[in-house]
Amino acid sequence: ASPDALPALADLAQNATVFMAHRAPSTMISSVAASLLTGLSPVAHTLTDPAMRLPEAQTTLAEVARDAAVRTGFFTGVPFTFKAFGFAQGWEKLFEHAPSSGDAATMPLDTAAAWISEIAKEDANARLLAVVHPRGGHPPWEVSQKEIATLQPTDYSGPIETRRAAQTIAKARKKKNRDVLSPVDRDRIHGLSM
C-alpha cells in the first residue's frame, strides 16, 4: 500500500519517537516481549525462563486497548511469542507464522498490513493497535524455497541450508582445520550470499 492509502501509518513513520538508548530487560525473547506488553520487569511478569508462559493474571496492552474499544491484532513469526507461551490473551486478531512453514519471513508484516487495510475499509475512524513481531531476517540466510531450488550446486544435499547455515559455518570456524567445508559447500555459501 502507498503511504497515501494509510495516512496514519505514514504519519507514524515520519513522526514516531525512536528510543535509541532502549535497553532490553532480558536476553530472552519471550521475556522482552512480555515486558513490552505488560510494562513490567521480568521478575514482575515472571517470564524468567524460556519455557515459561505469560500468566493470564498479567494485564497486557492488548487487554487495556480492547477495554478502550480499540481493535487489536498481534502478528508474530517468533515461536516464543506464540499462544503456547501465553501471548494470545486480549487480541482480537492473532496470527502466528511458524518459521518452518517455508513461507516468507515477511508474512506477519503482510498479514498485519492486510488486516489494517481491511479494517480501514470497514471504518475509516476505527482505532487500531497492531503489534508485529517478525523473526529476524539475516541475509543471506532468508531465502525462499523457490530461490533455493535455483541455487548452485544442483542437487546439493550438504549441511549448508538456510535455517542452520550460520551455525554450521560457526562450528567449522572453531575447528583447527578450517578447511572442513568442501568445494560444493563453498559453492552453496556463495549461492546463498548472492
Side-chain angles (χ1 to χ4, degrees):
S2 71
D4 295 333
L6 300 169
L9 285 180
D11 183 58
L12 178 66
Q14 290 294 320
N15 300 309
T17 301
V18 177
F19 296 94
M20 300 302 283
H22 170 72
R23 297 291 180 261
S26 171
T27 57
M28 293 184 320
I29 295 166
S30 57
S31 186
V32 172
S35 290
L36 289 169
L37 295 174
T38 65
L40 301 172
S41 70
V43 173
H45 60 59
T46 71
L47 264 71
T48 56
D49 181 278
M52 297 180 80
R53 292 178 51 88
L54 181 63
E56 287 184 29
Q58 295 294 346
T59 302
T60 66
L61 180 61
E63 293 166 304
V64 172
R66 180 196 61 208
D67 292 347
V70 174
R71 299 191 64 180
T72 61
F74 185 60
F75 308 85
T76 179
V78 182
F80 287 108
T81 55
F82 281 10
K83 183 178 183 177
F85 290 94
F87 287 89
Q89 61 196 54
W91 301 104
E92 171 189 335
K93 171 78 172 173
L94 175 69
F95 176 78
E96 298 175 339
H97 177 249
S100 59
S101 70
D103 294 330
T106 59
M107 283 298 291
L109 292 165
D110 298 339
T111 306
W115 180 73
I116 291 167
S117 295
E118 181 182 311
I119 291 176
K121 287 177 188 172
E122 291 172 12
D123 179 5
N125 296 317
R127 297 184 313 153
L128 300 171
L129 169 67
V131 175
V132 181
H133 189 196
R135 74 178 195 265
H138 303 285
W141 316 118
E142 187 56 43
V143 182
S144 72
Q145 292 293 358
K146 196 176 200 179
E147 292 169 318
I148 289 172
T150 65
L151 293 178
Q152 293 298 318
T154 307
D155 298 324
Y156 176 79
S157 61
I160 307 298
E161 49 95 14
T162 55
R163 290 191 67 213
R164 304 258 185 254
Q167 293 93 326
T168 303
I169 293 168
K171 285 180 186 175
R173 285 181 178 155
K174 288 181 181 178
K175 296 186 179 186
K176 287 184 180 183
N177 176 6
R178 292 193 177 191
D179 219 10
V180 295
L181 297 175
S182 71
V184 180
D185 295 333
R186 292 176 190 281
D187 287 346
R188 176 48 56 106
I189 292 169
H190 180 71
L192 283 169
S193 66
M194 301 284 296

